[in-house]
């Protein structure tokens, strides 16, 4: 399956261009979430103590930032998906 997907992408310059644009947009969203929104806090805001992981180790700033960026990336993509669905529905209603 992967072979045929890659063959289809590289068979047409237009398809390759659209694929690269889509990947670029996703990377941009990930970077915005990581550098713009994610926090590297390692303490619990309620108690002020270090957050401990299941393995007994404390949460590191890098791990906290990656988890936060992942959550914010999901939120951004979800809002864009719902907005796209609403935009399509409204534009179809207006064009009737």
């Amino acid at each position: 399956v992967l072979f045929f997907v890659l063959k289809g992408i590289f068979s047409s310059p237009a398809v390759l261009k659209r694929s690269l644009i889509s990947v670029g947009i996703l990377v941009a969203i990930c970077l915005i979430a990581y550098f713009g929104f994610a926090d590297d806090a390692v303490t619990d805001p309620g108690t002020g103590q270090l957050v401990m992981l299941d393995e007994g180790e404390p949460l590191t700033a890098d791990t906290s930032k990656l988890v936060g960026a992942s959550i914010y990336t999901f939120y951004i993509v979800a809002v864009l998906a719902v907005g796209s669905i609403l935009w399509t529905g409204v534009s179809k209603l207006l064009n009737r």
Side-chain angles (χ1 to χ4, degrees):
V1 172
L2 184 61
F3 171 74
F4 288 113
V5 169
L6 292 174
K7 180 182 173 192
I9 289 174
F10 289 111
S11 66
S12 170
V15 173
L16 180 62
K17 180 180 176 183
R18 283 187 299 186
S19 298
L20 290 176
I21 289 172
S22 299
V23 169
I25 290 171
L26 183 61
V27 167
I29 290 171
C30 291
L31 291 174
I32 289 169
Y34 185 82
F35 292 109
F37 296 113
D39 190 14
D40 60 355
V42 294
T43 57
D44 183 5
T47 62
Q49 296 179 347
L50 284 176
V51 175
M52 299 302 283
L53 300 176
D54 289 339
E55 297 85 24
E57 298 177 10
L59 179 67
T60 64
D62 291 335
T63 303
S64 176
K65 192 148 183 143
L66 283 174
V67 170
S70 300
I71 293 170
Y72 282 116
T73 298
F74 172 76
Y75 291 157
I76 293 168
V77 171
V79 166
L80 290 174
V82 170
S84 172
I85 292 168
L86 292 175
W87 179 264
T88 302
V90 169
S91 65
K92 282 186 179 181
L93 285 174
L94 294 177
N95 287 336
R96 286 188 178 188

